[in-house]
Amino acid sequence: MNKLNRFRTGRDNISTSEQILSEISQLDMQIIRQEQLHRDAMMHQERLNFERVKHEMTQKEMEYSEKILNDNETIQTIKYNIEVFKSKVSSIDAASESLDRKVRIDTTS
């Protein structure tokens, strides 16, 4: 009887050990799944952050491009105004020279 009890106890111990190992294995699998879910969530968050930053940079790029275009238009307007001013100065210089010649002619006559 004693041998039978030890056999049963040994068998129960083996069964319990196998059950414990099975539970440990299941817990390991759960940990691995949780770690994967965490990594997936972190990667998703990183992608969202990247997309947000990319969008912000695109917005800034558009703003700077628009500012550059506006600045270029302003520069072109200033250049045009300078040319108009030069033209007017030339006209005034020509009129002044013409007037000087008339005055010289009138004073010499």
Side-chain angles (χ1 to χ4, degrees), residues 8-66:
R8 285 185 186 154
T9 303
R11 229 172 161 206
D12 288 343
N13 286 344
I14 291 172
S15 177
T16 302
S17 295
E18 287 174 347
Q19 185 179 359
I20 290 171
L21 287 174
S22 174
E23 288 175 12
I24 289 172
S25 178
Q26 288 174 0
L27 290 173
D28 281 345
M29 292 303 290
Q30 285 179 354
I31 290 170
I32 290 169
R33 275 187 247 129
Q34 288 298 319
E35 287 173 342
Q36 185 61 45
L37 288 173
H38 179 71
R39 277 193 301 274
D40 290 348
M42 294 300 288
M43 286 176 55
H44 180 69
Q45 187 62 44
E46 285 181 31
R47 264 186 256 127
L48 290 175
N49 288 340
F50 174 78
E51 290 299 322
R52 180 185 51 79
V53 169
K54 182 178 166 185
H55 177 72
E56 289 172 2
M57 290 182 72
T58 301
Q59 287 297 105
K60 287 290 184 190
E61 182 180 356
M62 288 172 55
E63 289 172 15
Y64 290 142
S65 293
E66 187 174 323

